[in-house]
Amino acid sequence: MAESLNIPGVESHAHAHEHHDAHHDHHETFLTKYIFSQDHKMIAKQFLVTSIFMAFVAFIMSLFFRLQLAWPNQPFEIMDIFLGKWSDNGILDPNFYLSLVTMHGTIMVFFVLTAGLTGTYANLLIPYQLGVRDMVSPFMNMLSFWFFAVSTIIMLVSIFVESGPASSGWTIYPPLSALPQAIPGSGLGMTLWLVSMALFIISSLLGALNYVATVINCRTKGMKMTRMPLTVWTFMTAAILGILSFPVLLAAALLLIFDRSFGTAFFLSDIFISGQALEQTGGSPVLFQHLFWFLGHPEVYIVLLPALGIASEIIATMSRKPIFGYRAMIASVLAIAFLSFIVWGHHMFVTGMDPFLGSVFTFTTLLIAIPSAIKAFNYITTLWKGNVILSPGMLFAIGIVSMFISGGLTGIILGDSALDINVHHTYFVVAHFHLVMGVAALFGIIAGVYHWFPKLYGRMMNNKLGYVHFWITIISAYGVFWPMHYLGLAGVPRRYYSNTAFPMFDSLQDINVLITIFVIIGGTAQLIFLYNFIYSIFKGPKAPQNPWRATTLEWTTPVEHIHGNWPGEIPEVHRWPYDYSVPGADEDFIPQNVPLSEKEKAENTHH
Amino acid sequence: MIVTILFSLVILLTLISVGKLLSIGELINRVRNRESYKITESENNWNALLALFMLFFGYLIYFYFHFEYVEGGKLLPGAASVHGEAIDKLQTVSFVIISIAYLLVQPILWFFAFKYRYKEGNKAYHYAHNNKLEMVWTVIPAIVFCGLIFYGLKIWNDTLGKEIEGDKLTVELYAKQFDWTARYAGKDKELGDANYTMINDLNSLGIITSETLEVQFENINTKRNEVLAKLNNFPIKSELAELKKELTQYNHQLQMINGLIKKNEEAKFIKAYDDIVIAPGGEIHFPVGKPIELKMRSQDVIHSAYMPHFRVHMYCVPGMTTTFGFIPTITSAEMKEKLNNPAFDYVLYCNNICGAAHFNMQMKIVIETEEEYERWLKKQPTFADSFNTKPAEEAPAATDSTSTTTSEPVAKL
Ligand code: HEM
Ligand SMILES: [Cu+2]
Ligand SMILES: [Cu+2]
């Protein structure tokens, strides 16, 4: 036993004999248990599996366009096999290139990161960690998943329509997205995109309202707000961001639908296309961008904050230390959330906006860097003098912090309006947001899977595969996105089908090849994860109750899922969630439901 | 082909090595009678070592790309404009700051993961907060960022916040799927008015003059009559909606043109006659050292005028005019010499997704001395010249339409 680091030591806290209770009076059919489930744990798994599936779909899309970028105009048989008419003898069609980019971005941002993080972990952990039997409204929770499922299906169907899927970028700026004459993807494909996103927004609102209501109303006895794990703080904050910003995107989408189908002119003005002067005048394409980024920027924090919350929880647990600066962490999450509503203009510095307005957005944008810096330093200090157990979950959590630092720093360049002039819409932006949002949030999902797999499926994942997966993935992530900064600084624009039309980019072609090779390696590593995930669901070793020796309440529930989470009374909470390595304590952790000892009461230092 | 092989090879190798790893792992675990999910101290140490490797990897990628691309001169050359030089300085300062942060903070993260790896019998240091420390790393970034903000805002205001004064050259950059047209203001230093309803094959910018008004009126009126004729000819249902839509479109367009015709009667549109239009495929010439005022417009979707060598970038948005002023400082010839690359050209290209050929929407820019520029300019025909030099196409149309009085069709609407 001595040589294993995670000795299941708290078995005694739970009621080992209670497993058979799981089968009491509920007579669940396959349909109510697996399909139309109202149980937060099952809904979490539904979100997780759907988003993992979508992640592979979006990844394969990126593989196709990366092949085109690395070896432009070189025929590939696999293109013909997979893309059919969108590939001309193995050469990707330029319109479909843009479709692939668009769908890749849309799926990754919304269907993988948003749904996969909040949908999975807010659902799983809010009731578990707060000591609640389920969400406030399990029915709404179920609806939230099913709106998401339908929206996913519509988005997938849109890939197969005759005129091709949406292709004006995930930011769908009109007039391009409004006019099928301008690009075929703006026909039926775009209509389906808008319908799908409208349903997605409804799903996300149903979920978010539920999360916030649950956190505010349903904490177990003793669970003060200041005793909530940081995961719950970030889920709640992200949900509030979603509630405030997603409706604005819905409004923008509706107005765009009007412009497309009913001849209104909210975003259209003075357009001459396909030999015709359109009737619409007086609208403003820039207005759409304001509306879009009013959601768009908070959206990046909707996905990033939960990932940071997961990192906080895992890093504290696996360092066997309290998270450093718990209150500062909460304060910076709230500060980031507030500021994220007044920085959207940094995506629009060169749209011709008033230079004074640009100055204001520069100011607010660089302010956001301060709470971000605090968070990074606090993570590092949490590791300091810890007793760090490098589980796969922990490695991915450290990876989140690494990506957050690397990607966040380049935000200082982009947020500075004067500097953004020359790097806006180049690969520098692509590098920045993939590191700070894409990879960091993806690592959040993966770290969560490794860490909470025992709570999701009652089994353990294989660590060795986890290690192989992590090291290949993080090297590939840097291998893919780090070089992109230099493409951007050389003036290479994003959303270009190929760079061959410019002699000035010729000397950079080897970067593109390098990137694509890392994409292939990194993608292959995800198959290891997939194998480990599926294998462990069925064949993984049975999980002990508290494999990581963590303090939070989810580890006091029985391994087998039961309705209502705790067979008997809900545990009462007596302390904050980070009592790790408390001097004088017997174990190196004290769960939240353990009452204060006489000595602790006397000292009266507890939260 | 190569990639297909490479791809399958990578997958194969990974799967094999993973399988090996797994079976060995299982074997050891079975021998030791342990459950495979438990992390052994040796596993932990291996991963800690790899974390240490990440520290060096972080340095490796930074310095490799720095020397190969930044020092290696494969990125954009130094700015060839006055404001661009200021931006470059700001960029250097910012990059120095974020590089220092990266080179300090990133290694500490990985180093701590290595240094404080689990050791049997160790106990972590219970250290929940330290207000002084937290103040330090709030205040230091705050001061640094404030410095950057004020420095940045000064450059930003110098670049875009000021009107261009004095003797400036006004040039329009007009974007459409998928090419650029440039228009010089000519002798009167003012661009002639334009309107999107005036666009036709011979007047892709929609420039308004008495001549173009007449041509366009006739043009649209004919098209409208064709549609009307079709409508009167019992079209099939599927065509009906389309035809009706076209009709309202033409009616609307005629209305707009008539409005312009009225205006023209009050005060003639004459500013465009001396304008010089450079058609797609041509070259834009700018004199070195002269303030240039760019005015961007778009015909169809959003494009973006990106001239990275000058640090110039501005969206072209249908329905509005955007502007960017700059002063070029290095001629094309000088730049060719500086870069030791006779094939070098300045170039304007599109940097906002606009459709299938977005990746090839460009125009060559030539920076030259004032005399060279004047010489080039003299050779370019003015907009007025185009009426005379193309009698075959334009002139007859113009004379035809003079016979129809402009007030008559207005009544039809
Ligand atoms: C910390 C989490 C962050 C996330 C998740 C994030 C995410 C993103 C995303 C998705 C984009 C791309 C938008 C596009 O499609 O054009 C982007 C661009 C940008 N980011 Fe961030 N970012 C983060 C941090 C920062 C920071 C700290 C700054 C500034 C200090 C910053 C400033 C910017 C700016 C100005 C742009 C626009 C660049 C352009 O369009 O030229 N970001 N970010
Ligand atoms: Cu933003
Ligand atoms: Cu364009």
Side-chain angles (χ1 to χ4, degrees):
Chain A
M1 283 297 262
E3 64 178 48
S4 75
L5 313 189
N6 38 6
I7 313 141
V10 277
E11 219 89 325
S12 55
H13 285 295
H15 317 266
H17 60 275
E18 244 146 28
H19 285 186
H20 63 263
D21 279 5
H23 310 287
H24 59 252
D25 45 32
H26 285 277
H27 288 289
E28 289 177 314
T29 62
F30 178 81
L31 216 62
T32 59
K33 181 155 183 218
Y34 293 104
I35 310 291
F36 295 105
S37 172
Q38 300 192 10
D39 183 347
H40 72 102
K41 304 181 284 293
M42 182 54 73
I43 295 174
K45 287 194 272 187
Q46 290 172 325
F47 271 109
L48 179 64
V49 170
T50 317
S51 65
I52 289 178
F53 173 74
M54 290 305 267
F56 276 91
V57 172
F59 171 76
I60 289 170
M61 291 176 166
S62 70
L63 192 61
F64 285 125
F65 62 70
R66 279 308 325 174
L67 287 180
Q68 157 64 22
L69 284 173
W71 296 281
N73 303 332
Q74 149 110 29
F76 294 104
E77 306 101 285
I78 45 167
M79 299 248 189
D80 265 345
I81 297 166
F82 279 95
L83 305 182
K85 72 164 176 170
W86 298 113
S87 153
D88 175 19
N89 286 322
I91 296 174
L92 184 58
D93 174 81
N95 273 318
F96 202 68
Y97 173 89
L98 294 178
S99 290
L100 286 175
V101 173
T102 303
M103 297 306 278
H104 162 82
T106 308
I107 293 177
M108 281 295 191
V109 171
F110 296 108
F111 293 77
V112 178
L113 300 184
T114 311
L117 268 171
T118 323
T120 307
Y121 297 107
N123 258 317
L124 181 74
L125 295 179
I126 288 178
Y128 261 166
Q129 294 193 327
L130 294 184
V132 186
R133 297 213 184 268
D134 209 318
M135 288 288 174
V136 166
S137 169
F139 180 72
M140 251 167 78
N141 212 15
M142 177 189 81
L143 279 187
S144 159
F145 176 74
W146 281 102
F147 270 103
F148 169 63
V150 175
S151 112
T152 307
I153 290 166
I154 294 177
M155 194 57 84
L156 288 174
V157 164
S158 85
I159 298 171
F160 300 98
V161 302
E162 176 72 29
S163 52
S167 51
S168 46
W170 78 279
T171 52
I172 56 153
Y173 285 179
L176 186 61
S177 61
L179 305 172
Q181 307 95 300
I183 194 166
S186 291
L188 182 59
M190 191 68 219
T191 305
L192 291 175
W193 192 99
L194 288 166
V195 171
S196 165
M197 278 311 298
L199 294 174
F200 182 90
I201 292 170
I202 295 171
S203 150
S204 131
L205 286 177
L206 287 169
L209 289 169
N210 229 340
Y211 307 147
V212 175
T214 308
V215 173
I216 290 177
N217 297 314
C218 303
R219 302 184 304 272
T220 183
K221 191 152 174 247
M223 180 62 85
K224 295 187 279 192
M225 292 291 267
T226 48
R227 282 180 182 166
M228 297 197 311
L230 285 171
T231 33
V232 178
W233 271 104
T234 55
F235 298 148
M236 183 185 75
T237 314
I240 294 173
L241 288 183
I243 292 169
L244 294 176
S245 63
F246 263 121
V248 178
L249 181 65
L250 187 60
L254 279 178
L255 298 186
L256 185 55
I257 290 174
F258 289 154
D259 273 9
R260 289 166 50 80
S261 308
F262 305 112
T264 57
F266 293 105
F267 307 129
L268 305 180
S269 185
D270 296 14
I271 293 165
F272 181 92
I273 193 159
S274 315
Q276 269 185 332
L278 301 190
E279 212 184 321
Q280 285 111 320
T281 52
S284 163
V286 177
L287 171 64
F288 178 87
Q289 301 184 15
H290 281 293
L291 295 175
F292 181 88
W293 287 114
F294 189 85
L295 158 92
H297 195 84
E299 166 65 22
V300 304
Y301 290 102
I302 291 172
V303 307
L304 190 76
L305 290 179
L308 292 178
I310 287 170
S312 311
E313 197 58 29
I314 298 178
I315 288 178
T317 307
M318 302 317 263
S319 312
R320 318 305 296 158
K321 276 188 67 185
I323 190 81
F324 184 78
Y326 174 70
R327 278 166 197 260
M329 290 300 243
I330 296 173
S332 31
V333 166
L334 295 178
I336 288 175
F338 170 72
L339 287 172
S340 76
F341 275 105
I342 48 172
V343 300
W344 80 88
H346 62 213
H347 300 270
M348 303 170 58
F349 286 136
V350 294
T351 54
M353 67 156 58
D354 185 83
F356 174 71
L357 200 55
S359 308
V360 175
F361 282 122
T362 296
F363 184 72
T364 53
T365 301
L366 292 198
L367 279 190
I368 262 198
I370 298 171
S372 307
I374 296 176
K375 287 194 81 78
F377 288 127
N378 283 4
Y379 287 124
I380 291 173
T381 316
T382 307
L383 289 173
W384 181 66
K385 290 200 177 180
N387 204 15
V388 179
I389 301 165
L390 295 166
S391 66
M394 176 64 165
L395 287 170
F396 274 101
I398 296 173
I400 296 172
V401 180
S402 170
M403 293 295 163
F404 182 59
I405 295 169
S406 303
L409 283 170
T410 51
I412 291 164
I413 305 293
L414 293 167
D416 197 329
S417 48
L419 297 180
D420 187 51
I421 292 173
N422 214 51
V423 284
H424 179 70
H425 272 184
T426 64
Y427 265 88
F428 194 83
V429 179
V430 179
H432 158 74
F433 74 80
H434 276 93
L435 290 182
V436 82
M437 170 168 86
V439 181
L442 207 62
F443 278 16
I445 299 182
I446 297 171
V449 169
Y450 281 112
H451 193 77
W452 280 287
F453 201 78
K455 287 285 93 181
L456 284 162
Y457 294 100
R459 292 173 187 270
M460 304 297 292
M461 286 179 79
N462 185 291
N463 285 330
K464 289 203 179 53
L465 288 180
Y467 292 140
V468 178
H469 175 215
F470 173 74
W471 290 110
I472 301 181
T473 304
I474 190 161
I475 297 287
S476 315
Y478 273 116
V480 170
F481 297 115
W482 185 270
M484 286 188 187
H485 292 106
Y486 301 87
L487 289 177
L489 292 173
V492 179
R494 66 193 292 200
R495 295 162 175 172
Y496 262 29
Y497 166 71
S498 96
N499 302 328
T500 47
F502 295 85
M504 65 188 265
F505 300 149
D506 285 351
S507 63
L508 303 163
Q509 193 49 26
D510 47 356
I511 295 193
N512 272 322
V513 175
L514 182 76
I515 291 173
T516 302
I517 288 175
F518 273 115
V519 170
I520 294 171
I521 296 173
T524 314
Q526 304 319 303
L527 294 179
I528 304 173
F529 171 73
L530 193 66
Y531 169 79
N532 195 357
F533 182 73
I534 296 173
Y535 179 88
S536 306
I537 289 179
F538 299 106
K539 294 263 177 68
K542 282 256 183 296
Q545 181 157 21
N546 189 355
W548 317 118
R549 298 154 55 77
T551 56
T552 39
L553 291 184
E554 74 269 32
W555 305 105
T556 64
T557 61
V559 175
E560 298 284 331
H561 281 177
I562 62 166
H563 232 298
N565 297 344
W566 285 268
E569 292 264 304
I570 295 182
E572 186 185 336
V573 165
H574 300 277
R575 54 182 75 236
W576 78 324
Y578 298 106
D579 266 342
Y580 288 105
S581 303
V582 179
D586 304 337
E587 295 266 9
D588 65 354
F589 71 113
I590 311 175
Q592 282 192 279
N593 58 336
V594 174
L596 296 190
S597 66
E598 290 306 319
K599 185 161 155 277
E600 282 174 315
K601 272 186 198 147
E603 282 168 358
N604 193 20
T605 52
H606 254 84
H607 296 264
Chain B
M1 195 57 216
I2 317 163
V3 182
T4 322
I5 293 173
L6 196 78
F7 189 55
S8 352
L9 215 69
V10 173
I11 294 184
L12 208 74
L13 279 178
T14 325
L15 288 184
I16 291 172
S17 49
V18 165
K20 269 264 165 356
L21 228 147
L22 255 192
S23 56
I24 294 171
E26 290 297 326
L27 211 70
I28 295 171
N29 281 324
R30 225 173 298 140
V31 171
R32 295 208 192 143
N33 196 16
R34 288 189 47 256
E35 286 146 81
S36 59
Y37 63 85
K38 284 182 184 157
I39 300 157
T40 63
E41 210 167 328
S42 89
E43 259 175 358
N44 208 54
N45 287 340
W46 272 109
N47 280 292
L49 262 180
L50 284 169
L52 196 62
F53 161 77
M54 271 312 284
L55 187 163
F56 294 109
F57 181 74
Y59 280 121
L60 182 84
I61 53 177
Y62 180 89
F63 286 108
Y64 171 74
F65 281 97
H66 184 79
F67 287 111
E68 183 70 20
Y69 290 92
V70 183
E71 303 288 324
K74 292 186 181 170
L75 307 184
L76 287 170
S81 65
V82 174
H83 79 275
E85 286 166 15
I87 288 181
D88 280 6
K89 259 193 214 122
L90 171 66
Q91 180 161 325
T92 309
V93 171
S94 305
F95 266 113
V96 167
I97 291 173
I98 68 171
S99 298
I100 291 173
Y102 171 83
L103 294 173
L104 277 179
V105 180
Q106 192 71 256
I108 294 179
L109 174 75
W110 293 108
F111 181 71
F112 281 2
F114 164 75
K115 173 89 200 290
Y116 299 107
R117 65 191 179 279
Y118 176 90
K119 286 197 193 82
E120 178 72 44
N122 266 12
K123 190 153 187 177
Y125 173 38
H126 185 87
Y127 188 55
H129 66 104
N130 177 335
N131 291 345
K132 236 187 242 157
L133 207 56
E134 288 175 80
M135 269 324 263
V136 169
W137 61 55
T138 310
V139 171
I140 290 180
I143 293 172
V144 174
F145 293 141
C146 279
L148 278 181
I149 288 172
F150 288 113
Y151 184 13
L153 288 186
K154 182 177 178 305
I155 309 290
W156 169 249
N157 277 323
D158 290 351
T159 305
L160 282 169
K162 290 183 186 158
E163 279 287 315
I164 307 134
E165 300 133 16
D167 185 22
K168 67 186 173 195
L169 176 65
T170 302
V171 179
E172 177 177 76
L173 297 180
Y174 186 77
K176 67 176 200 293
Q177 284 181 333
F178 298 97
D179 54 40
W180 297 95
T181 310
R183 177 162 62 129
Y184 290 70
K187 288 211 178 65
D188 65 354
K189 296 187 184 290
E190 268 190 275
L191 290 163
D193 296 294
N195 187 289
Y196 81 109
T197 53
M198 295 293 297
I199 297 171
N200 57 39
D201 290 348
L202 297 170
N203 184 9
S204 69
L205 303 189
I207 294 171
I208 312 171
T209 64
S210 300
E211 292 81 358
T212 58
L213 276 169
E214 280 160 21
V215 173
Q216 183 72 342
F217 184 87
E218 195 53 34
N219 184 359
I220 300 301
N221 206 23
T222 318
K223 282 189 183 167
R224 177 175 170 270
N225 290 338
E226 277 165 19
V227 175
L228 268 179
K230 275 191 205 155
L231 268 171
N232 290 335
N233 213 359
F234 306 108
I236 50 170
K237 233 194 185 139
S238 58
E239 279 175 4
L240 192 66
E242 195 52 40
L243 285 172
K244 275 190 175 158
K245 206 172 133 203
E246 268 179 46
L247 186 68
T248 45
Q249 233 163 30
Y250 288 134
N251 280 343
H252 163 258
Q253 196 169 351
L254 279 181
Q255 219 168 3
M256 302 278 283
I257 296 168
N258 276 317
L260 292 171
I261 289 173
K262 276 233 184 75
K263 264 198 195 158
N264 190 42
E265 280 162 3
E266 286 157 20
K268 291 258 183 263
F269 288 100
I270 51 164
K271 282 186 288 187
Y273 288 121
D274 61 350
D275 288 1
I276 292 164
V277 177
I278 309 294
E283 295 173 355
I284 311 173
H285 287 234
F286 293 134
V288 70
K290 178 130 176 171
I292 316 280
E293 181 188 45
L294 297 175
K295 293 196 171 277
M296 282 64 135
R297 284 196 303 135
S298 163
Q299 182 173 92
D300 35 42
V301 299
I302 299 178
H303 303 265
S304 187
Y306 187 38
M307 296 158 45
H309 301 101
F310 308 99
R311 317 297 187 247
V312 168
H313 194 184
M314 186 56 69
Y315 281 17
C316 313
V317 185
M320 63 191 257
T321 306
T322 51
T323 63
F324 201 117
F326 77 109
I327 305 173
T329 52
I330 304 176
T331 64
S332 296
E334 284 165 353
M335 199 55 140
K336 283 177 209 266
E337 201 166 321
K338 201 173 140 196
L339 298 179
N340 201 10
N341 175 9
F344 174 85
D345 278 320
Y346 290 121
V347 57
L348 155 75
Y349 49 98
C350 180
N351 196 357
N352 202 326
I353 181 172
C354 62
H358 168 51
F359 69 100
N360 190 11
M361 179 172 160
Q362 53 176 314
M363 199 174 202
K364 183 177 158 184
I365 302 171
V366 178
I367 306 291
E368 54 200 359
T369 60
E370 187 90 34
E371 304 89 72
E372 286 168 323
Y373 169 73
E374 292 297 342
R375 228 176 299 140
W376 171 82
L377 195 67
K378 279 214 185 75
K379 282 187 265 167
Q380 309 307 317
T382 62
F383 193 61
D385 291 340
S386 67
F387 302 130
N388 311 327
T389 50
K390 282 189 202 146
E393 292 160 14
E394 196 125 356
T399 40
D400 274 357
S401 51
T402 37
S403 53
T404 35
T405 53
T406 47
S407 52
E408 207 178 46
V410 179
K412 272 194 209 156
L413 291 172

